[in-house]
Amino acid sequence: MKKAFITGITGQDGSYLAESLLEKGYKVYGLTRRTSTQNFDRIKTIIHNPNLELISGDLIDQHSLTFAFQDIQPDEIYNLAAQSFVKASWEQPVLTGEFTAIGVTRVLEAMRLACPKAKFYQASSSEMFGKVREVPQNENTPFYPRSPYGVAKVYGHWITVNYRESYDMFAVSGILFNHESPRRGLEFVTRKISNAVARIKLGKQEFIELGNLDSKRDWGYAKDYVEAMWAMLQQEQADDYVISTGETHSVREFLEIACKAAGLGDYEKYYKHNKKYDRPAEVDLLIGNPEKAMKSLNWKPTINFEELVTLMVQQDLEFESKNAN
């Protein structure tokens, strides 16, 4: 039985990846931070699976990682944990650097010392491209991050490359463009929209406050993207891949389709602009070129943009129908 270790297992990507690996016959270990209240909501359907084991540790505690790897000897390590909310990275830039940048080094160093033959996946991000130098963006497009989060992800990406080349470790980075699902946190604009239109439809709120509607992103389905992560670690040679749909859509389009899916009609009746949601340095356009991943990994998205938005709205209508508040 193959053993996989996932940091960030209680997050959107970590929960989908854990489910997928369990279905593939893996023993899965998930790193969780010890807090006064644990949120296992995203992994509630697998929490009692005998092949899932949660390990207490932290990306800012080197020893917890090293000891865990020594004990488990995982075959695959997926580093998905990070401070991943761009807006929060402006409010907590140092903390973002500790988790999202230096945290990657701690995981790699623990692997180098305890299980150097394991295969390592680093969750890189399209936010590294920021003020884009070319359209669409591929594996060779220069980075120009526009937020502390983007800067931290660039560090995580390059330290992964450095460990691969310096220590002959199997270490890859997946440069994932925006990927969403009903498990996305409510602070992210996509889930904020899907949840708000559901609440408006059910009479729980009157309008939705958002920032810049003209920002464009390449949005895919998180459940598809975790399959690409796994595929990268099944290759003979370690390499980096852009994972995206190759299409770009504006926040305005997301809102329009969400309102349509909820049966609300014209989005302008429900939208209010709030400057506090505008970024200090905006990323205007992200669109990836997934050609390399499609060819080398035999990977492709399973649902399109409109289907993704509709899925999220339907799930939030169901969620809010059961939720009294």
Side-chain angles (χ1 to χ4, degrees):
M1 182 179 282
K2 269 187 158 183
K3 293 180 285 187
F5 190 98
I6 304 172
T7 73
I9 193 170
T10 58
Q12 170 188 253
D13 293 5
S15 63
Y16 280 124
L17 178 62
E19 288 174 358
S20 176
L21 292 175
L22 288 169
E23 288 172 7
K24 290 178 170 68
Y26 280 68
K27 170 79 173 181
V28 176
Y29 298 85
L31 188 74
T32 61
R33 299 173 65 195
R34 189 177 295 282
T35 59
S36 56
T37 56
Q38 293 279 15
N39 184 2
F40 296 141
D41 201 47
R42 293 187 182 97
I43 57 171
K44 62 187 177 184
T45 61
I46 58 171
I47 192 75
H48 298 300
N49 189 307
N51 288 324
L52 174 67
E53 185 174 335
L54 300 181
I55 306 295
S56 180
D58 202 305
L59 286 193
I60 62 173
D61 184 352
Q62 180 71 65
H63 292 307
S64 67
L65 299 169
T66 306
F67 291 151
F69 291 170
Q70 281 177 340
D71 183 44
I72 295 163
Q73 290 297 305
D75 299 290
E76 298 172 4
I77 298 167
Y78 297 86
N79 184 41
L80 310 185
Q83 191 301 101
S84 59
F85 188 38
V86 174
K87 184 176 183 293
S89 79
W90 288 104
E91 298 159 357
Q92 298 177 304
V94 177
L95 181 70
T96 299
E98 277 289 349
F99 279 108
T100 310
I102 304 300
V104 185
T105 311
R106 294 192 184 101
V107 178
L108 283 164
E109 190 65 3
M111 175 179 158
R112 183 181 72 84
L113 294 171
C115 53
K117 297 301 182 184
K119 293 185 174 183
F120 174 82
Y121 171 85
Q122 165 59 14
S124 288
S125 167
S126 60
E127 288 288 332
M128 301 189 305
F129 295 122
K131 190 175 181 179
V132 298
R133 316 315 288 163
E134 62 183 6
V135 178
Q137 296 87 53
N138 61 36
E139 292 80 4
N140 298 314
T141 301
F143 300 136
Y144 196 141
R146 298 273 279 172
S147 66
Y149 171 75
V151 172
K153 279 293 185 183
V154 169
Y155 176 96
H157 180 86
W158 281 117
I159 200 66
T160 301
V161 172
N162 271 256
Y163 268 68
R164 177 170 74 216
E165 296 178 350
S166 302
Y167 298 116
D168 194 28
M169 293 164 62
F170 194 107
V172 308
S173 284
I175 307 173
L176 270 58
F177 280 65
N178 293 64
H179 46 290
E180 316 299 320
S181 77
R183 296 182 189 176
R184 193 54 138 158
L186 286 166
E187 70 272 23
F188 290 87
V189 66
T190 50
R191 181 74 196 290
K192 182 177 181 180
I193 290 172
S194 68
N195 184 256
V197 299
R199 289 176 61 82
I200 292 168
K201 178 67 175 179
L202 296 169
K204 293 185 173 185
Q205 68 184 66
E206 296 179 14
F207 55 85
I208 178 172
E209 294 187 8
L210 297 167
N212 179 17
L213 292 187
D214 296 317
S215 292
K216 292 184 176 181
R217 295 291 184 271
D218 186 325
W219 274 303
Y221 183 29
K223 199 170 182 179
D224 289 339
Y225 284 37
V226 301
E227 294 304 320
M229 299 176 189
W230 175 79
M232 288 179 214
L233 296 195
Q234 311 316 307
Q235 304 306 300
E236 288 189 13
Q237 299 293 326
D239 204 352
D240 305 323
Y241 299 88
V242 162
I243 306 299
S244 68
T245 68
E247 297 180 7
T248 191
H249 299 274
S250 67
V251 177
R252 190 184 308 277
E253 286 178 80
F254 199 107
L255 179 58
E256 285 176 336
I257 294 171
C259 286
K260 177 184 171 184
L264 291 177
D266 185 5
Y267 78 92
E268 291 187 345
K269 295 178 183 176
Y270 311 104
Y271 161 69
K272 287 188 178 181
H273 179 253
N274 189 327
K275 287 185 177 180
K276 79 175 184 179
Y277 296 120
D278 292 338
R279 295 186 185 181
E282 185 57 83
V283 175
D284 298 312
L285 170 65
L286 290 174
I287 177 171
N289 179 355
E291 185 178 329
K292 179 179 174 182
M294 289 181 172
K295 184 178 179 181
S296 300
L297 305 178
N298 195 28
W299 174 88
K300 63 180 181 180
T302 64
I303 67 174
N304 64 33
F305 177 68
E306 187 165 348
E307 289 169 337
L308 173 64
V309 179
T310 302
L311 170 68
M312 292 178 66
V313 171
Q314 289 172 343
Q315 289 287 310
D316 268 320
L317 281 167
E318 186 179 323
F319 171 76
E320 288 296 339
S321 295
K322 296 174 181 176
N323 187 355
N325 296 323

